[in-house]
Each structure stands twice: as structure tokens, then as C-alpha cells.
Amino acid sequence: MFDTIMLIAMFLLTVSLLLTLYRIIKGPTVHDRILALDSIGYIVIGIVAVLSIQLDSHAYLETILLIGILAFLSTIALSRYMERGVVIGRKRND
């Protein structure tokens, strides 16, 4: 029963990943694509978490943390780039 639930969860996460990839390709604006990229990061975290539970291993927990940090930082960087045109602003002394 538990394996069936994990298989269903993995299937639903895979379907949501495919739908999010579709949103990246057909997104009407760049902002929609940025949010879809952020969603892909968290869907991948879900897939790795389900895989970790299924394999009864704690080895993937660091991977989950790393993917979460990278997804957050990439969203911040892309949002700053869309707002200002640069990711890291430098002050001039002119």
C-alpha cells in the first residue's frame, strides 16, 4: 500500500513537472517563465523527497537543501535582473 502511494505521488509530481515545462515554453510573459522555473525547483525537491522516503535513505536530504537554496537564489537573481537590468548593482563615484 505504501509503495502504491509513493508511486502515485511520483507520478503526480512528474505530471506537474511536465505542465510546468509547458508553461516555460508557452509562457506569455517573462515573469511567468521565472515563476515556472521557481516551481520546477520545488517540484524537483518533492521528487527527491519522495525518492528519499522510498529508498529509506537520509543521503538525499543535503541535496534537497542545496536545490532549495539554488532555486531561491536563482529566483532572486532573475527578478533583480528583470527589475534593474543588472543582478549586482555598483555605485559610481562620479
Side-chain angles (χ1 to χ4, degrees):
M1 180 68 179
F2 182 74
D3 291 332
T4 306
I5 292 172
M6 288 293 127
L7 188 62
I8 291 170
M10 191 70 78
F11 174 74
L12 291 174
L13 284 168
T14 305
V15 169
S16 65
L17 183 67
L18 293 174
L19 291 172
T20 307
L21 285 173
Y22 175 76
R23 176 53 54 197
I24 288 177
I25 294 169
K26 296 293 267 187
T29 65
V30 177
H31 303 289
D32 291 329
R33 290 184 173 122
I34 291 173
L35 287 174
L37 281 173
D38 191 39
S39 297
I40 283 181
Y42 297 119
I43 292 169
V44 169
I45 287 174
I47 290 172
V48 173
V50 169
L51 185 66
S52 175
I53 292 169
Q54 216 171 12
L55 297 176
D56 195 25
S57 173
H58 296 284
Y60 297 108
L61 298 179
E62 290 87 9
T63 305
I64 291 171
L65 182 63
L66 182 66
I67 293 170
I69 291 170
L70 288 175
F72 175 74
L73 291 177
S74 67
T75 302
I76 297 297
L78 285 170
S79 298
R80 289 187 89 178
Y81 180 75
M82 292 303 301
E83 180 184 344
R84 299 180 186 168
V86 293
V87 176
I88 299 174
R90 301 175 193 258
K91 293 184 179 180
R92 291 185 163 195
N93 293 331
D94 291 342

